[in-house]
Amino acid sequence: MKNILYIGKYNGIIGGIERYMQKSAELLRSNGFTVHYCYIENGGRDESVFAAAFTTIKKFTPNDELLQSCDMIILHNIIDVKYLQHLPPDRTFFFAHDHNIYCQRHHYYMPVGRINCHRAYNKFICQLCSLGRNPAPPLKEYRKFPALVLSDFMRKNLHKNGFKKVLKLPAFIKTATTGHEFMPDGVLRILFLGQLIRGKGADLMLKTLAKLDIHFACTIAGDGKDRAMLETLVEKFNLRDKVTFTGFVNEPEKLWTNCDVFFFPVRWQEPFGLVGLEAMAHGVPVVAFDTGGVREWLGEFETGFLVPEKNTVAAAEIIGDLAGNRQALEKMGKCGLEAAQNKFSEENFVENFRKICEVLK
């Protein structure tokens, strides 16, 4: 079983889902698979780089011969249910990367106060919560496919919402081959990498930084609709000399060399948090709010620190302590690198993927 078809929404990179598809396709192709890609609509960045990851790439059409000839089809986004009738249920998996399949608001937190939700989908409650902004999720239509997830957290959520067969396919990461030098000039370098939207919590990070009484420099890498609001907060907290916005970064891998701590201040229940795993793979300790699937990869006091969600006071205390303890940074960085090598290696991913293929035989 070597012929794989990915189906996604865009033909370029928007965020973590597209990067995951790109990297996993590259890895599978290097291990003898062919990986085709069909997208629903144009959109995203770095279209040529994204396209190069696949054996072929083209727009989705219901009569595409790939739907019949491929050994396995993996849906990486929710697509219009009118297309599902063309997908063979015995060869199709739905990869649940986010909460859209059971949350009508998509964020899986309440509109007032952004309090994280833990309910299963309920037609009446979720319609009220979403204020009628989005259509009901097509749970009934997608439950006929076996699902893939990256974390036990997501597996639990899908079971709670009526999916019978949910398989975990652990994430993978390529680890750094060079050592990491911490705080070369005595200044703690903090990195945020992600979309600048409310769920990613960059505003919570700035509130944390405003409480620090140490020498630090923070890089905010990424773009999104909240950038103007975040720039206003930087001025409000008098952080203009300490915070730098880079905008969208084509090669985020280059950022890890120049940081000492990766801050992952997510507000929403992150389904996994691949960017945190990237930090570990580069020997960078992580401070993260304890929500969603973050526990899947972050071992408290070993590779970083889990902080109660939204607790900016506790986060500031931890980051402040790390600024004066280069030895702790080095130890956690080393533990993170070892965890990435042992638990999330490319070899483990390919082996687990082959086991998933066996399910279809």
Side-chain angles (χ1 to χ4, degrees):
M1 185 172 291
K2 296 284 189 179
N3 204 14
I4 313 298
L5 171 62
Y6 282 5
I7 299 176
K9 189 171 184 179
Y10 302 109
N11 66 332
I13 295 174
I14 296 291
I17 294 176
E18 291 77 27
R19 290 194 186 280
Y20 179 86
M21 287 193 287
Q22 176 190 340
K23 297 297 184 183
S24 62
E26 290 170 347
L27 178 58
L28 290 174
R29 289 183 66 193
S30 70
N31 281 272
F33 292 85
T34 60
V35 186
H36 308 277
Y37 181 63
C38 289
Y39 58 92
I40 304 301
E41 60 186 77
N42 294 318
R45 304 173 188 257
D46 292 345
E47 293 95 333
S48 60
V49 175
F50 182 73
F54 301 97
T55 307
T56 65
I57 181 170
K58 55 185 171 179
K59 199 160 189 177
F60 179 90
T61 55
N63 58 352
D64 196 309
E65 60 86 18
L66 283 173
L67 299 178
Q68 303 304 320
S69 63
C70 280
D71 300 314
M72 176 192 290
I73 299 170
I74 303 178
L75 281 168
H76 284 277
N77 293 95
I78 297 173
I79 62 175
D80 195 304
V81 295
K82 67 183 180 183
Y83 297 129
L84 299 186
Q85 61 181 310
H86 303 283
L87 307 182
D90 60 332
R91 291 184 286 116
T92 302
F93 285 90
F94 168 58
F95 210 134
H97 290 282
D98 52 33
H99 304 299
N100 295 12
I101 194 62
Y102 47 78
C103 177
Q104 199 160 335
R105 292 190 70 243
H106 301 172
H107 309 305
Y108 208 33
Y109 53 62
M110 311 296 183
V112 179
R114 296 185 174 87
I115 299 170
N116 279 322
C117 178
H118 303 283
R119 296 175 179 269
Y121 175 74
N122 177 283
K123 179 179 179 180
F124 301 104
I125 293 175
C126 295
Q127 174 73 11
L128 180 63
C129 180
S130 74
L131 305 177
R133 292 187 306 176
N134 299 308
L139 273 170
K140 180 180 178 181
E141 291 82 359
Y142 274 79
R143 285 185 186 126
K144 69 181 181 182
F145 302 120
L148 297 176
V149 294
L150 291 175
S151 66
D152 289 328
F153 166 72
M154 287 299 291
R155 177 158 56 187
K156 179 180 177 181
N157 282 346
L158 290 188
H159 280 315
K160 185 165 46 179
N161 283 279
F163 281 80
K164 300 302 181 184
K165 181 179 286 188
V166 184
L167 305 173
K168 186 167 79 168
L169 180 59
F172 69 95
I173 196 72
K174 179 177 288 187
T175 54
T177 56
T178 58
H180 195 88
E181 183 181 6
F182 290 96
M183 299 178 61
D185 57 0
V187 176
L188 186 72
R189 301 165 299 176
I190 302 166
L191 175 66
F192 172 94
L193 173 58
Q195 295 184 67
L196 303 187
I197 55 177
R198 204 59 58 92
K200 297 297 184 179
D203 59 317
L204 296 177
M205 181 185 71
L206 292 176
K207 292 176 182 178
T208 300
L209 299 184
K211 297 176 173 63
L212 293 177
D213 186 22
I214 58 172
H215 293 296
F216 73 89
C218 176
T219 298
I220 297 179
D223 213 344
K225 62 183 180 180
D226 278 357
R227 177 163 178 170
M229 179 271 290
L230 295 171
E231 290 174 337
T232 299
L233 285 181
V234 167
E235 293 296 322
K236 176 182 177 180
F237 297 141
N238 197 26
L239 295 170
R240 67 184 69 87
D241 296 330
K242 297 181 177 181
V243 175
T244 301
F245 290 85
T246 69
F248 180 81
V249 178
N250 290 316
E251 298 180 278
E253 295 82 4
K254 295 181 179 180
L255 295 168
W256 300 113
T257 303
N258 296 312
C259 75
D260 304 302
V261 174
F262 177 64
F263 193 11
F264 196 51
V266 286
R267 175 180 274 108
W268 82 322
Q269 298 172 87
E270 188 72 51
F272 183 81
L274 284 166
V275 68
L277 187 56
E278 289 182 36
M280 289 168 49
H282 287 82
V284 176
V286 181
V287 176
F289 289 136
D290 186 7
T291 184
V294 172
R295 281 181 175 266
E296 195 83 13
W297 47 267
L298 182 57
E300 190 170 9
F301 305 117
E302 296 177 0
T303 62
F305 291 91
L306 285 165
V307 183
E309 60 179 280
K310 302 180 186 177
N311 193 330
T312 59
V313 174
E317 290 177 355
I318 289 170
I319 293 173
D321 289 342
L322 288 175
N325 195 339
R326 185 181 280 110
Q327 185 177 5
L329 290 169
E330 292 173 348
K331 181 179 180 181
M332 284 188 291
K334 181 179 179 181
C335 287
L337 186 59
E338 291 175 350
Q341 291 170 336
N342 296 330
K343 293 181 62 177
F344 301 101
S345 70
E346 293 179 325
E347 292 77 15
N348 285 346
F349 173 83
V350 174
E351 180 181 350
N352 285 313
F353 188 86
R354 293 188 192 280
K355 291 177 181 178
I356 297 292
C357 292
E358 293 295 322
V359 173
L360 299 181
K361 289 185 177 180

